[in-house]
Amino acid sequence: MTTTSQSLPGRIALVTGATSGIGRAAAHELAREGAEVIVHGRDPKRGEQVVAEIVQTLGQARFVAADLSDPTEVRRLADEAGAVDVLVNNAGLSWFGPTADLDVATYDALFDSNVRAPYFLVAALAPRMAANGVGSIVNVASMVADIGLAGAAAYGGTKATLAAMTRSWAAEFSPRGVRVNAVAPGPVYTAADPERIETLAATTLLGRAAQAEEIAQVITFLASPAAAHITGATIAADGGRTAV
Ligand SMILES: NC(=O)c1ccc[n+]([C@@H]2O[C@H](COP(=O)([O-])OP(=O)(O)OC[C@H]3O[C@@H](n4cnc5c(N)ncnc54)[C@H](OP(=O)(O)O)[C@@H]3O)[C@@H](O)[C@H]2O)c1
């Protein structure tokens, strides 16, 4: 349902990992702002549930399933999404623990989902945005890209890489109208281990974790014309954790 105050009417937004947590909240928020949302994830039941939530009260959505650990699935997702105006690279895998406990398969899975998949989605979708002279890409990084957190070397490494790629993609695509930014959340109340989230929450200046909706609002702001002069930036949404 279009209203004059919506910031993304008529835009098409692909949100990866939108079947739960931050991605689901971002899908809702983008739809609320008038975008037609392509809800992505692996679980079709939860994907169709998110689509139903959007279609019932907010606007238009459809679900595309793809396992982003497989490069051919990444390519298929890009093909099935078609021309999009907004890409939110949100899907991600986390692993926390002693460095010596991380096996090679899990290390590879972290980099496959958190780095390779966003890279090849941008490779598939950004050139078309640039040819149209408009587009916005929002990558979901993490505060652990910027702080030394014991047990987060590999996961933090994936998110620091994503922040670095954000800057390079801005340099590559923004001269042709495509803004590329990242949001770096601190702890967020999602499906993740609640005890770890509470421990991290206590280290933030605000003394609490974020709700997924609070991160979704930053994502939607970055995707919208309200952020027209912002590109190449990584916006901290971490309760002040990286400020001190
Ligand atoms: N929660 C936090 O405290 C926090 C803090 C900082 C950054 N982040 C980042 O925020 C993003 C979202 O996190 P979240 O906590 O909202 O996660 P979540 O609730 O666990 O949801 C993860 C989403 O990613 C999808 N996904 C994961 N691996 C995938 C793969 N290989 N192929 C396709 N889809 C995949 C899942 O899809 P299915 O379930 O359908 O398979 C799900 O929709 C992640 O990038 C995470 O690193 C989270």
Side-chain angles (χ1 to χ4, degrees), residues 17-23 40-43 46 66-69 90-94 113-114 140-143 155 159 185-192 197:
T19 54
S20 72
I22 294 167
H40 158 267
R42 286 172 299 197
D43 184 327
R46 283 192 286 119
D67 183 345
L68 299 186
S69 64
N90 164 77
L93 181 66
S94 63
S113 295
N114 299 3
V140 180
S142 169
M143 75 173 186
Y155 174 67
K159 294 303 189 179
V188 184
Y189 295 115
T190 59
I197 294 296

Coordinates of all heavy atoms in Angstrom, one line a residue, residues 17-23 40-43 46 66-69 90-94 113-114 140-143 155 159 185-192 197, ligand 1:
G17 N 19.1 -13.8 3.4 CA 18.9 -14.2 4.8 C 17.7 -13.5 5.5 O 17.8 -13.1 6.6
A18 N 16.6 -13.4 4.7 CA 15.5 -12.7 5.2 C 14.4 -13.6 5.9 O 13.3 -13.1 6.2 CB 14.8 -11.9 4.1
T19 N 14.8 -14.8 6.1 CA 13.8 -15.7 6.7 C 13.9 -15.6 8.2 O 13.0 -16.3 8.9 CB 14.1 -17.2 6.3 OG1 15.5 -17.5 6.6 CG2 13.9 -17.4 4.9
S20 N 14.8 -14.9 8.8 CA 14.8 -14.7 10.3 C 15.6 -13.4 10.6 O 16.3 -12.8 9.8 CB 15.4 -15.9 11.0 OG 16.8 -16.0 10.8
G21 N 15.6 -13.1 11.9 CA 16.5 -12.1 12.5 C 16.5 -10.7 11.8 O 15.4 -10.2 11.4
I22 N 17.7 -10.2 11.6 CA 17.9 -8.9 11.0 C 17.3 -8.8 9.6 O 16.7 -7.8 9.2 CB 19.4 -8.5 11.0 CG1 19.9 -8.4 12.4 CG2 19.6 -7.2 10.2 CD1 21.4 -8.3 12.6
G23 N 17.5 -9.9 8.8 CA 17.0 -9.9 7.4 C 15.5 -9.8 7.3 O 15.0 -9.1 6.5
H40 N 15.0 -13.8 0.6 CA 15.8 -14.9 0.3 C 16.2 -15.7 1.6 O 16.3 -15.1 2.7 CB 17.1 -14.5 -0.4 CG 18.2 -15.5 -0.2 ND1 19.1 -15.4 0.9 CD2 18.5 -16.7 -0.8 CE1 19.9 -16.5 0.8 NE2 19.5 -17.3 -0.2
G41 N 16.4 -17.0 1.5 CA 16.8 -17.8 2.6 C 16.9 -19.2 2.1 O 16.9 -19.5 0.9
R42 N 17.2 -20.1 3.0 CA 17.2 -21.6 2.6 C 15.9 -22.2 2.9 O 15.4 -23.1 2.2 CB 18.3 -22.3 3.3 CG 19.7 -22.0 2.8 CD 20.8 -22.5 3.6 NE 20.7 -22.0 5.0 CZ 21.7 -22.1 5.9 NH1 22.8 -22.7 5.5 NH2 21.6 -21.6 7.1
D43 N 15.2 -21.8 4.0 CA 14.1 -22.5 4.6 C 12.8 -22.0 3.9 O 12.3 -20.9 4.2 CB 14.0 -22.3 6.1 CG 12.9 -23.1 6.8 OD1 11.8 -23.2 6.1 OD2 13.1 -23.5 7.9
R46 N 9.8 -20.9 6.3 CA 9.9 -19.6 7.0 C 9.9 -18.4 5.9 O 9.5 -17.3 6.2 CB 11.2 -19.5 7.8 CG 10.9 -20.3 9.2 CD 12.0 -20.0 10.2 NE 13.2 -20.8 9.9 CZ 14.4 -20.2 9.7 NH1 14.5 -18.9 9.7 NH2 15.4 -20.9 9.4
A66 N 17.9 -20.3 -1.9 CA 19.2 -20.6 -2.4 C 20.1 -20.8 -1.3 O 20.1 -20.0 -0.3 CB 19.7 -19.4 -3.3
D67 N 21.0 -21.8 -1.4 CA 22.1 -22.0 -0.4 C 23.3 -21.2 -0.9 O 24.0 -21.6 -1.9 CB 22.4 -23.5 -0.3 CG 23.4 -23.7 0.8 OD1 24.1 -22.7 1.2 OD2 23.6 -24.9 1.2
L68 N 23.6 -20.1 -0.2 CA 24.7 -19.2 -0.7 C 26.1 -19.8 -0.5 O 27.1 -19.2 -0.9 CB 24.6 -17.9 0.1 CG 23.3 -17.1 -0.2 CD1 23.4 -15.7 0.5 CD2 23.0 -17.0 -1.7
S69 N 26.2 -21.0 0.1 CA 27.5 -21.6 0.2 C 27.9 -22.3 -1.1 O 29.0 -22.7 -1.3 CB 27.5 -22.7 1.4 OG 26.6 -23.7 1.1
N90 N 22.8 -9.6 3.7 CA 22.6 -9.8 5.2 C 22.9 -11.2 5.6 O 23.4 -11.4 6.7 CB 21.2 -9.5 5.6 CG 20.8 -10.0 6.9 OD1 21.2 -9.4 8.0 ND2 20.1 -11.1 7.0
A91 N 22.6 -12.2 4.8 CA 22.8 -13.6 5.2 C 24.2 -13.9 5.7 O 25.2 -13.4 5.1 CB 22.5 -14.6 4.0
G92 N 24.3 -14.6 6.8 CA 25.7 -14.8 7.3 C 25.7 -15.9 8.3 O 24.7 -16.3 8.9
L93 N 26.9 -16.4 8.5 CA 27.1 -17.5 9.4 C 28.1 -17.0 10.4 O 29.0 -16.3 10.1 CB 27.7 -18.7 8.6 CG 28.1 -20.0 9.3 CD1 26.8 -20.7 9.8 CD2 28.8 -20.9 8.3
S94 N 27.9 -17.4 11.7 CA 28.9 -17.0 12.7 C 29.4 -18.2 13.5 O 28.7 -19.2 13.5 CB 28.3 -15.9 13.7 OG 27.2 -16.5 14.4
S113 N 30.0 -18.1 2.9 CA 28.7 -17.4 3.1 C 28.9 -15.9 3.3 O 28.0 -15.2 2.9 CB 28.0 -18.0 4.4 OG 27.6 -19.4 4.1
N114 N 29.9 -15.5 4.1 CA 30.0 -14.1 4.5 C 30.8 -13.3 3.6 O 30.7 -12.0 3.6 CB 30.6 -14.1 5.9 CG 29.8 -14.8 7.0 OD1 28.8 -15.4 6.7 ND2 30.3 -14.7 8.2
V140 N 25.8 -6.2 5.6 CA 25.7 -6.3 7.0 C 27.0 -6.9 7.5 O 27.3 -8.1 7.4 CB 24.5 -7.2 7.5 CG1 24.5 -7.3 9.0 CG2 23.2 -6.6 6.9
A141 N 27.8 -6.0 8.1 CA 29.1 -6.4 8.7 C 28.9 -6.7 10.2 O 27.9 -7.3 10.6 CB 30.1 -5.3 8.4
S142 N 29.8 -6.3 11.0 CA 29.7 -6.5 12.4 C 30.8 -5.7 13.2 O 31.8 -5.4 12.6 CB 30.0 -8.0 12.8 OG 30.1 -8.2 14.2
M143 N 30.4 -5.3 14.4 CA 31.4 -4.6 15.2 C 32.7 -5.4 15.5 O 33.8 -4.9 15.7 CB 30.8 -4.2 16.6 CG 30.7 -5.3 17.6 SD 30.2 -4.7 19.2 CE 30.3 -6.2 20.2
Y155 N 35.4 -15.2 12.2 CA 34.1 -14.5 11.9 C 34.4 -13.0 11.7 O 34.0 -12.4 10.7 CB 33.1 -14.7 13.0 CG 31.9 -13.9 12.9 CD1 31.0 -14.1 11.9 CD2 31.6 -12.9 13.9 CE1 29.8 -13.3 11.8 CE2 30.4 -12.1 13.8 CZ 29.5 -12.4 12.7 OH 28.4 -11.6 12.6
K159 N 34.0 -10.3 8.4 CA 33.2 -9.1 8.4 C 34.2 -7.9 8.1 O 33.7 -6.9 7.5 CB 32.5 -8.9 9.8 CG 31.4 -9.9 10.0 CD 30.4 -9.9 8.9 CE 29.2 -10.8 9.3 NZ 28.1 -10.7 8.2
P185 N 26.5 -4.0 13.1 CA 25.8 -4.1 14.4 C 26.7 -4.6 15.5 O 27.7 -5.3 15.2 CB 24.7 -5.2 14.1 CG 24.7 -5.4 12.6 CD 26.1 -5.0 12.1
G186 N 26.4 -4.2 16.7 CA 26.9 -4.9 17.9 C 26.0 -6.1 18.1 O 25.4 -6.7 17.2
P187 N 25.9 -6.5 19.4 CA 25.0 -7.6 19.7 C 23.5 -7.3 19.4 O 23.1 -6.2 19.6 CB 25.2 -7.9 21.2 CG 25.8 -6.6 21.7 CD 26.6 -6.0 20.6
V188 N 22.9 -8.3 18.8 CA 21.5 -8.1 18.4 C 20.7 -9.3 18.9 O 21.2 -10.5 18.8 CB 21.3 -8.0 16.8 CG1 19.9 -7.8 16.4 CG2 22.2 -7.0 16.3
Y189 N 19.5 -9.1 19.4 CA 18.7 -10.2 19.9 C 18.1 -10.9 18.7 O 17.1 -10.5 18.1 CB 17.5 -9.7 20.8 CG 18.0 -9.1 22.1 CD1 17.8 -7.8 22.3 CD2 18.6 -9.9 23.0 CE1 18.2 -7.2 23.5 CE2 19.1 -9.3 24.2 CZ 18.8 -8.0 24.5 OH 19.3 -7.4 25.6
T190 N 18.7 -12.0 18.2 CA 18.1 -12.8 17.1 C 18.3 -14.3 17.6 O 18.2 -14.6 18.8 CB 18.9 -12.6 15.8 OG1 20.3 -12.9 16.0 CG2 18.8 -11.1 15.3
A191 N 18.4 -15.2 16.6 CA 18.5 -16.6 16.9 C 19.8 -17.0 17.6 O 19.9 -18.1 18.1 CB 18.4 -17.4 15.6
A192 N 20.8 -16.0 17.6 CA 22.1 -16.4 18.2 C 22.1 -16.6 19.7 O 21.1 -16.3 20.4 CB 23.0 -15.2 17.9
I197 N 25.1 -13.0 23.6 CA 24.6 -11.7 23.3 C 24.5 -10.8 24.6 O 24.9 -9.6 24.6 CB 23.2 -11.8 22.7 CG1 23.3 -12.5 21.3 CG2 22.5 -10.5 22.5 CD1 24.1 -11.8 20.2
Ligands
LIG1 N1 22.8 -11.3 15.7 C1 23.8 -10.5 16.0 O1 24.2 -10.3 17.2 C2 24.7 -10.0 14.9 C3 25.6 -9.0 15.2 C4 26.4 -8.5 14.2 C5 26.2 -8.9 12.9 N2 25.3 -9.8 12.6 C6 25.1 -10.2 11.2 O2 23.8 -10.0 10.8 C7 23.4 -10.9 9.8 C8 22.1 -11.6 10.2 O3 22.3 -12.2 11.4 P1 21.1 -12.7 12.3 O4 21.5 -12.8 13.7 O5 19.8 -12.0 12.0 O6 21.0 -14.2 11.7 P2 19.9 -15.4 11.8 O7 18.7 -15.0 12.6 O8 20.7 -16.6 12.2 O9 19.5 -15.5 10.3 C9 20.5 -15.8 9.3 C10 19.9 -15.7 8.0 O10 20.9 -16.0 7.0 C11 20.5 -17.1 6.2 N3 21.6 -17.9 5.8 C12 22.7 -18.2 6.6 N4 23.6 -18.9 5.9 C13 23.0 -19.1 4.6 C14 23.4 -19.7 3.5 N5 24.6 -20.4 3.4 N6 22.7 -19.7 2.4 C15 21.5 -19.0 2.4 N7 21.0 -18.4 3.5 C16 21.8 -18.4 4.6 C17 19.4 -17.9 7.0 O11 18.6 -18.6 6.2 P3 17.8 -19.9 6.6 O12 17.6 -19.9 8.1 O13 16.5 -19.8 5.8 O14 18.6 -21.0 6.2 C18 18.8 -16.8 7.8 O15 17.8 -16.2 7.0 C19 24.6 -11.9 9.6 O16 25.4 -11.5 8.5 C20 25.4 -11.7 10.9 O17 26.7 -12.1 10.8 C21 24.5 -10.4 13.5

